[in-house]
Amino acid sequence: MTELESVIGLEIHAELKTDTKIFCGCKNSFGAEPNSQICPVCMGLPGTLPRLNSKVCDFAVKMGHALNCEINRVSRMDRKNYFYPDLPKAYQISQADIPICGKGFLEILVDGNVRRIGITRIHIEEDAGKLIHDDEYNGTLCDLNRCGVPLIEIVTEPDIRSSEEAHIFLENIRSILRYIGISDCKMQEGSIRCDVNVSMREKGAPLGTRCELKNVNSFSAAVRGIEYEIKRQTSLIENNEQIERETRRWDDKKGISTLMRNKENAQDYRFFPEPDLGAIVLSDERINSLKAEIPELPNKKVIRYITEYGLNYSEAFLIADAPDKAELFEQCIAKGECSPRSAANRIIGEITKYMNDTGKSIAETKLTASELSKLCCAAEKGIISSSSAKTVLTHLIINGGDVAEIIEKLGLEQNSDDDYLCRLADDVISANKKSADDFKNGKTNALGHLVGQAMKLSKGKADPQKIKDIISNKLKMEE
């Protein structure tokens, strides 16, 4: 049978981090008491008129620039007519044929190769409310706080070829949204969600019949959903069965997709121009001004960190993914006192662990790039051991201070004096005859025990590499 390949497209919905909602002055925030952040406009009461939040347009344009999109100087809002049980007016204000951003692309790194994924469009729209199903209630409750929360929808071309590519693309989109400051991207709060379109085809053949997966609530769920759908559709093709164009619900707990509705019978949305809102007209000056606010984006940083500093993809992404980590890394390197590898290891290791454990950002700690650079330099020069470096770093994060003063205060400086280390080696060999004999007899792991005893005897101050070399040389001379 001819080899099949998967063809994947994504529709990513990101809630925008504006102060107020898209068409009214209600507060745009998560976690308030149900139905406490609503007004006649977002409730869709008769006679109300929407007023477009200009910040929503600015945020959409910034994302358009970040994804190399064509920015439409004139666009419009449309009504999408559909039965929304959690959107009282029974239609959604969105954009149809003239979105705010047109064609674009995003370059991602996959297995060391740059892949360009096309962007079809970015449009703005309002979010719907939230239905609450609970066994304690005889029915369904509705929280309308989310009605009118501004969204952008990013629609890709069918350029993605695997679940891995989809995951990398989604991670890059999330990083970019955070970098340009337009969304908090908290998946647990539903502020970034995606729908997945999957089809199968013979390599080089026209596109196959696609199925859409709804209810994908995490990037890992997107991966699992794509892989399931690839297997399901491949099995149908191998058994000469027809793939129907469907919208399917992804059940991540069960690991299966189930039919929601058949696309051929789906109700037409009957888009028409929103009569209560005028055209969106953007000046060249405004478009160019928003473009100037775009920093170096994480996907570009990842490639640079790999090519310039020798990091692997995982390391580069862990640093570039968070703006504060990337800033700390680059400021540290700019000091010129330590290697990029040393700085990267500490940011990826102890610093990230502290941030994950406490939920704090780097800005909420006492750590500075200057002192991190000095710490890395001290560890590289052997002034302190790796374990002592962790102690100093913890002190810097929590209390701040000067690296040299902390090392002196805590008595952490390593002793590299040859005479002292030779005497220490003699004492350790004399007190651990069995381990010494084991090493002489070819049991090389015995050396680790002897070094450990030396470090214990020196209270961690002996230079571990030097004491290891000295003990090893002394024992070899005795053979």
Side-chain angles (χ1 to χ4, degrees):
M1 183 177 178
T2 307
E3 185 181 357
L4 297 175
E5 71 172 354
S6 54
V7 178
I8 300 158
L10 300 173
E11 299 170 12
I12 304 161
H13 298 80
E15 289 184 354
L16 300 179
K17 199 169 61 173
T18 54
D19 293 331
T20 56
K21 293 184 180 181
I22 187 168
F23 298 126
C24 66
C26 290
K27 191 175 181 181
N28 176 21
S29 64
F30 179 84
E33 286 293 316
N35 298 311
S36 63
Q37 296 179 172
I38 56 176
C39 71
V41 174
C42 50
M43 288 176 68
L45 297 184
T48 57
L49 290 174
R51 182 177 180 181
L52 182 59
N53 183 342
S54 64
K55 202 71 176 176
V56 173
C57 300
D58 289 347
F59 283 4
V61 170
K62 288 181 77 171
M63 192 61 182
H65 284 310
L67 298 185
N68 305 288
C69 291
E70 302 166 356
I71 309 300
N72 289 323
R73 285 158 176 75
V74 179
S75 61
R76 75 178 187 210
M77 304 303 299
D78 299 278
R79 285 193 184 182
K80 182 180 181 181
N81 296 276
Y82 192 71
F83 175 67
Y84 292 90
D86 46 4
L87 199 57
K89 58 194 177 193
Y91 62 85
Q92 180 190 42
I93 301 178
S94 180
Q95 291 188 305
D97 55 330
I98 312 178
I100 195 164
C101 302
K103 296 279 187 180
F105 65 87
L106 174 65
E107 290 182 338
I108 61 174
L109 203 61
V110 182
D111 295 330
N113 299 312
V114 176
R115 286 272 289 118
R116 177 173 286 195
I117 307 300
I119 305 297
T120 305
R121 58 187 280 142
I122 301 174
H123 63 262
I124 57 178
E125 61 187 20
E126 61 183 331
D127 209 344
K130 181 180 180 181
L131 297 178
I132 303 167
H133 313 282
D134 198 307
D135 292 338
E136 295 182 12
Y137 307 107
N138 183 22
T140 296
L141 301 178
C142 189
D143 179 8
L144 299 180
N145 280 347
R146 203 170 63 183
C147 280
V149 167
L151 295 173
I152 54 171
E153 181 173 342
I154 304 161
V155 182
T156 76
E157 294 288 306
D159 290 343
I160 299 170
R161 293 292 174 266
S162 69
S163 60
E164 179 193 9
E165 283 188 10
H167 191 258
I168 292 171
F169 180 86
L170 287 166
E171 284 184 329
N172 276 270
I173 289 291
R174 179 179 60 188
S175 294
I176 290 170
L177 288 165
R178 290 196 296 219
Y179 258 76
I180 62 178
I182 68 172
S183 177
D184 58 28
C185 297
K186 295 178 180 177
M187 295 200 79
Q188 70 274 18
E189 296 180 6
S191 57
I192 182 168
R193 317 186 286 274
C194 75
D195 298 330
V196 179
N197 291 280
V198 182
S199 65
M200 302 298 296
R201 69 175 179 185
E202 294 181 1
K203 281 197 171 183
L207 295 176
T209 302
R210 62 187 170 93
C211 294
E212 182 180 22
L213 286 183
K214 294 280 191 183
N215 195 38
V216 182
N217 296 321
S218 70
F219 293 168
S220 58
V223 169
R224 289 188 287 271
I226 289 168
E227 290 174 351
Y228 174 87
E229 202 51 30
I230 289 172
K231 290 177 182 177
R232 187 186 73 85
Q233 293 185 28
T234 299
S235 177
L236 289 172
I237 292 170
E238 289 175 346
N239 289 294
N240 295 316
E241 296 180 50
Q242 186 72 27
I243 296 175
E244 301 290 340
R245 189 177 175 200
E246 299 169 337
T247 297
R248 301 178 67 85
R249 179 182 288 107
W250 174 247
D251 188 326
D252 201 42
K253 288 184 179 179
K254 294 181 180 179
I256 61 172
S257 67
T258 55
L259 178 65
M260 280 181 68
R261 60 179 178 267
N262 187 296
K263 280 285 188 180
E264 299 301 323
N265 299 321
Q267 179 181 357
D268 179 43
Y269 290 132
R270 293 185 295 112
F271 278 108
F272 62 83
E274 170 56 53
D276 294 331
L277 290 168
I280 300 171
V281 181
L282 302 170
S283 67
D284 288 341
E285 182 183 6
R286 185 173 178 183
I287 291 170
N288 293 332
S289 174
L290 291 167
K291 186 175 185 178
E293 296 177 12
I294 304 296
E296 182 188 27
L297 297 172
N299 57 313
K300 299 293 185 183
K301 286 184 183 291
V302 166
I303 295 171
R304 184 162 62 81
Y305 291 171
I306 292 171
T307 55
E308 291 186 14
Y309 305 131
L311 305 186
N312 63 38
Y313 175 80
S314 178
E315 293 167 336
F317 183 81
L318 280 170
I319 295 173
D321 182 47
D324 52 355
K325 288 184 193 177
E327 183 178 6
L328 179 66
F329 178 62
E330 295 188 20
Q331 287 180 352
C332 191
I333 292 172
K335 299 290 180 183
E337 297 175 335
C338 67
S339 69
R341 166 56 58 192
S342 181
N345 287 346
R346 283 173 173 79
I347 292 171
I348 293 167
E350 293 90 353
I351 295 171
T352 295
K353 183 178 185 302
Y354 180 85
M355 293 168 68
N356 291 340
D357 290 345
T358 63
K360 291 184 177 180
S361 65
I362 290 172
E364 294 173 304
T365 72
K366 302 289 186 179
L367 182 64
T368 66
S370 177
E371 294 307 314
L372 176 60
S373 178
K374 291 177 184 176
L375 170 64
C376 292
C377 180
E380 286 182 272
K381 289 181 177 179
I383 295 171
I384 55 175
S385 66
S386 57
S387 60
S388 294
K390 291 181 181 180
T391 301
V392 175
L393 182 54
T394 299
H395 198 286
L396 289 173
I397 291 171
I398 298 173
N399 304 309
D402 178 80
V403 168
E405 291 177 2
I406 295 169
I407 292 172
E408 183 179 359
K409 180 181 177 182
L410 299 180
L412 297 176
E413 185 170 351
Q414 286 189 152
N415 193 330
S416 298
D417 180 72
D418 288 341
D419 291 338
Y420 166 76
L421 294 177
C422 283
R423 291 194 301 272
L424 179 63
D426 289 337
D427 291 342
V428 168
I429 292 170
S430 177
N432 295 270
K433 288 291 186 183
K434 184 178 184 307
S435 293
D437 290 340
D438 285 344
F439 179 79
K440 292 176 188 177
N441 292 324
K443 296 181 180 179
T444 55
N445 60 340
L447 182 60
H449 174 73
L450 293 168
V451 172
Q453 292 302 303
M455 296 305 295
K456 183 177 180 182
L457 194 61
S458 68
K459 297 181 180 178
K461 292 185 179 181
D463 184 319
Q465 187 57 52
K466 288 191 75 172
I467 192 65
K468 179 181 179 181
D469 293 341
I470 290 171
I471 292 174
S472 176
N473 290 334
K474 281 180 174 289
L475 291 174
K476 287 176 181 177
M477 289 175 64
E478 293 177 6
E479 291 179 3

